[in-house]
Amino acid sequence: MGVPILRCTTLILGLFCVASYGYTPIVLWHGMGDSCCFSFSLGAFKNRLTQQLPGVYVLSLRIGSSMVNDVENGYFMHPNKQVEEACETIKNDPKLSDGFNAVGFSQGSQFLRALVQRCSAAKVKNLISLGGQHQGVYGLPNCGSLSHPTCDYFRRLLNHAAYNSFVQKRLVQATYWHDPLNEDLYKKSSTFLSDINNELTVNESYKENILKLDNFVMVLFENDTMVQPVESEFFGFYKPGQSVELVNLTNSQLYNEDRLGLRELDNKGGLHFLALPGNHLEFEWPWFIKMIMEPYLKN
Ligand SMILES: *[C@@H]1O[C@H](CO)[C@@H](O)[C@H](O)[C@H]1NC(C)=O
Ligand SMILES: *[C@@H]1O[C@H](CO)[C@@H](O)[C@H](O)[C@H]1NC(C)=O
Ligand SMILES: *[C@@H]1O[C@H](CO)[C@@H](O)[C@H](O)[C@H]1NC(C)=O
């Protein structure tokens, strides 16, 4: 039960208090193939949040003018534009002006991170990434390269198409295609992920904004067949030049050169890694309450 708390400010003439619910607002960003508000997915999730945290303000981001449009945009509207649109929505919402917690589902997680890095109106306290692909993907959903040689063939084939500028402009998932066999090509040609990960240059404001987070929580689904490699959900990826051996965030160049502020955030105790068994986004509500809501959303 949410307890009303008093928010007080001392002014010259005395103490002014307003009663309000203590819960920080929550912003959700759905994944590919989903929308802000379907009753079987994020609509239900929002209802559960409001049951647990009475009075909390929850905004589930809709990109576009309708739910159908929102689903289409998850495939075809460039992430840079989606992030701009989300930034406008947040800037114009007075309920979010004091800050909020953010929960991303799958690709919505890296879009929320881009929002943190680029949008000054988005004052995010805790950023929760559920199965996000922070180092991108190299593989097709349900097509593990080790289990199936054809899959490796297809991903090699896709390398040629994904970085074509036509495809980069038109297919969302190409903007976070990460080819470990051609790291330089990825860094130069990815029109989204390479930028938000400060691959070519270090954008200092991205770093500063990451460091404004209280916590960045990454959740990895160990048996995820949608995301290749699964370690991308923990900001890990293949070692450059091949597609078998992995390197995790703490051993990566991104971390060691602290190009994005993640090492400093980690040193402040703000980086968290939670792994759980199961396929993509398969988690139980009691797990969510205990591991995410209690520590990160009940503030
Ligand atoms: C850093 O990112 C911000 C927000 O996207 C952008 O406005 C700015 O131009 C970037 N700075 C550099 C040096 O690229
Ligand atoms: C799930 O993944 C874990 C860790 O990689 C592994 O130990 C386990 O065997 C997997 N379970 C299934 C059912 O594949
Ligand atoms: C990465 O691996 C090292 C061991 O090489 C381990 O100490 C560290 O905790 C790992 N980091 C992550 C984020 O899993």
Side-chain angles (χ1 to χ4, degrees), residues 222-223 277-278:
E222 288 175 347
N223 310 96

Side-chain angles (χ1 to χ4, degrees), residues 7-297:
R7 291 186 191 275
C8 300
T9 334
T10 358
L11 293 178
I12 298 163
L13 295 175
L15 198 63
F16 290 81
C17 299
V18 270
S20 68
Y21 275 103
Y23 299 124
T24 303
I26 302 171
V27 171
L28 310 175
W29 198 324
H30 64 79
M32 178 179 91
D34 203 355
S35 90
C36 61
C37 314
F38 288 144
S39 58
F40 52 83
S41 65
L42 259 61
F45 190 81
K46 178 175 167 174
N47 286 343
R48 286 182 143 181
L49 284 176
T50 42
Q51 272 163 21
Q52 291 288 323
L53 307 170
V56 72
Y57 176 64
V58 183
L59 172 73
S60 184
L61 285 165
R62 188 185 72 199
I63 306 298
S65 53
S66 66
M67 280 206 261
V68 172
N69 201 216
D70 189 17
V71 175
E72 285 171 0
N73 286 337
Y75 295 98
F76 304 121
M77 186 197 266
H78 197 284
N80 294 344
K81 288 206 71 170
Q82 295 195 44
V83 170
E84 273 173 30
E85 189 173 320
C87 184
E88 275 304 303
T89 304
I90 285 160
K91 200 162 32 178
N92 293 320
D93 190 335
K95 294 196 197 75
L96 299 174
S97 62
D98 286 339
F100 56 91
N101 294 314
V103 183
F105 293 78
S106 196
Q107 72 180 12
S109 306
Q110 58 264 33
F111 299 169
L112 275 176
R113 179 163 62 81
L115 185 84
V116 168
Q117 294 174 208
R118 290 178 180 167
C119 174
S120 57
K123 297 186 197 122
V124 181
K125 295 166 192 281
N126 294 322
L127 173 63
I128 316 295
S129 157
L130 300 171
Q133 299 101 49
H134 296 285
Q135 278 292 2
V137 292
Y138 180 58
L140 304 171
N142 290 317
C143 206
S145 67
L146 301 176
S147 56
H148 217 299
T150 324
C151 291
D152 196 42
Y153 172 75
F154 272 119
R155 64 183 186 178
R156 281 166 189 268
L157 202 68
L158 240 166
N159 278 338
H160 297 288
Y163 296 126
N164 175 295
S165 65
F166 181 88
V167 179
Q168 281 286 318
K169 282 195 201 107
R170 282 163 189 82
L171 181 65
V172 167
Q173 288 69 38
T175 69
Y176 57 84
W177 184 261
H178 186 166
D179 176 5
L181 308 177
N182 295 286
E183 279 288 335
D184 288 342
L185 185 65
Y186 151 70
K187 288 179 186 180
K188 278 197 303 236
S189 316
S190 156
T191 51
F192 172 68
L193 192 70
S194 157
D195 176 74
I196 63 163
N197 284 0
N198 274 347
E199 294 283 9
L200 283 181
T201 53
V202 172
N203 185 323
E204 289 296 333
S205 65
Y206 286 180
K207 245 176 120 163
E208 282 160 24
N209 291 333
I210 283 283
L211 284 165
K212 286 181 194 152
L213 289 172
D214 292 334
N215 294 288
F216 177 19
V217 184
M218 285 174 264
V219 176
L220 173 148
F221 298 87
E222 288 175 347
N223 310 96
D224 199 324
T225 56
M226 299 291 283
V227 176
Q228 308 274 333
V230 172
E231 286 68 17
S232 184
E233 298 175 12
F234 271 177
F235 236 119
F237 204 66
Y238 297 113
K239 277 189 184 161
Q242 47 84 60
S243 57
V244 179
E245 222 186 317
L246 295 151
V247 60
N248 74 15
L249 177 65
T250 20
N251 291 323
S252 71
Q253 196 184 5
L254 177 82
Y255 186 92
N256 288 314
E257 293 176 3
D258 206 16
R259 298 175 70 85
L260 200 52
L262 293 171
R263 190 174 69 187
E264 196 174 332
L265 186 64
D266 196 15
N267 291 340
K268 291 197 292 188
L271 212 53
H272 309 272
F273 302 90
L274 298 174
L276 80 168
N279 208 334
H280 199 55
L281 301 182
E282 272 179 15
F283 58 85
E284 302 285 335
W285 187 241
W287 172 88
F288 186 85
I289 293 181
K290 179 163 175 258
M291 303 303 285
I292 305 288
M293 183 185 287
E294 291 288 339
Y296 304 111
L297 305 180

